[in-house]
Amino acid sequence: MTSRGVVRSWNVRGMQGVIDSADTPGGSWTPWISVAVPGFPGLAEGQEVEFEWHQLDEPADGYDFHTVRASPVGTEPYTRQGPFSSRAWHIDPDGSAHEITDLDDTIPPRIGTPASGVVTTWNDDEGWGVIDSADTPGGCSTFYSALHPDEVINAQPGDSFSIGGGIRGLDVGEQVDFEWESVIDQDGYKFRAIKVRPRREIPLWRVERIGR
């Protein structure tokens, strides 16, 4: 089904976002592979889009709807030529993206600086929060995607997953172990979490690789 909607959020590091529309209450989860634009496959918060979607048999990542294809209103959906798995991008701290060419077979996984801290803020609706620790003065911004299993966080270009189970949020006041990296500005913070692992027991993640 095709609808018109507005991009609620887009996580440039996690390469995913959410589109809101009257036809998809609660939002339609949108991975980068669904973005039909030339160049870097990303959308912008507040952008109006035309998108194709389907309703899932059971929620994935906490959403009942999944975006199949999305493009800005007033543009023709872009069809990529050749396998997308041959492309990768370097994302600068300011959010700008540059295509990497002449790739080796694999890209080393992102590795951050390990630390421990306490969750001071968490927004369930938008899937982001702040971790406070001595190593990240002023707070470390984190997104729901940092909770994903390592297999997903360290995915290679062209990988696509169906993800269920696990958790999609943190509890204010809980202790977590995390890996962080420095950024110029992430919503007013100088640090961003790559991986976050709560110390409490959490449900098992269900991860199914659906493409590469």
Side-chain angles (χ1 to χ4, degrees):
M1 186 171 181
T2 302
S3 301
R4 178 172 292 197
V6 175
V7 179
R8 179 201 307 174
S9 61
W10 185 262
N11 179 352
V12 69
R13 285 285 180 182
M15 297 289 284
Q16 61 183 317
V18 180
I19 297 173
D20 287 320
S21 77
D23 297 322
T24 56
S28 181
W29 180 70
T30 307
W32 62 269
I33 202 169
S34 302
V35 180
V37 300
F40 182 70
L43 298 171
E45 183 177 336
Q47 190 173 30
E48 192 173 11
V49 294
E50 298 275 359
F51 69 109
E52 299 174 22
W53 56 271
H54 69 260
Q55 187 166 3
L56 301 170
D57 293 332
E58 62 178 70
D61 286 339
Y63 296 96
D64 293 321
F65 304 93
H66 178 273
T67 301
V68 177
R69 187 168 68 163
S71 59
V73 169
T75 66
E76 286 293 324
Y78 179 77
T79 301
R80 302 187 187 281
Q81 304 297 320
F84 192 84
S85 59
S86 64
R87 309 178 73 189
W89 305 84
H90 174 74
I91 304 172
D92 293 334
D94 63 1
S96 60
H98 308 280
E99 185 174 2
I100 301 172
T101 58
D102 300 325
L103 289 175
D104 294 330
D105 290 337
T106 59
I107 295 176
R110 292 169 62 204
I111 299 175
T113 302
S116 298
V118 176
V119 179
T120 57
T121 301
W122 185 261
N123 186 316
D124 275 324
D125 292 333
E126 299 181 3
W128 70 276
V130 178
I131 300 169
D132 191 25
S133 80
D135 298 304
T136 56
C140 179
S141 176
T142 186
F143 291 90
Y144 160 60
S145 58
L147 298 171
H148 282 158
D150 290 350
E151 177 186 6
V152 178
I153 291 176
N154 295 328
Q156 297 297 304
D159 286 347
S160 184
F161 300 90
S162 173
I163 308 171
I167 56 174
R168 66 178 311 270
L170 297 171
D171 295 330
V172 172
E174 75 172 318
Q175 290 187 314
V176 296
D177 298 310
F178 66 106
E179 294 182 16
W180 59 269
E181 61 185 4
S182 297
V183 294
I184 295 176
D185 182 22
Q186 178 70 60
D187 299 323
Y189 297 94
K190 300 299 183 183
F191 307 96
R192 172 172 49 213
I194 298 172
K195 301 178 183 178
V196 180
R197 301 291 179 256
R199 294 185 178 178
R200 58 186 161 98
E201 185 174 350
I202 63 174
L204 291 175
W205 288 94
R206 300 191 306 275
V207 180
E208 178 184 0
R209 188 184 297 271
I210 59 176
R212 182 182 173 90

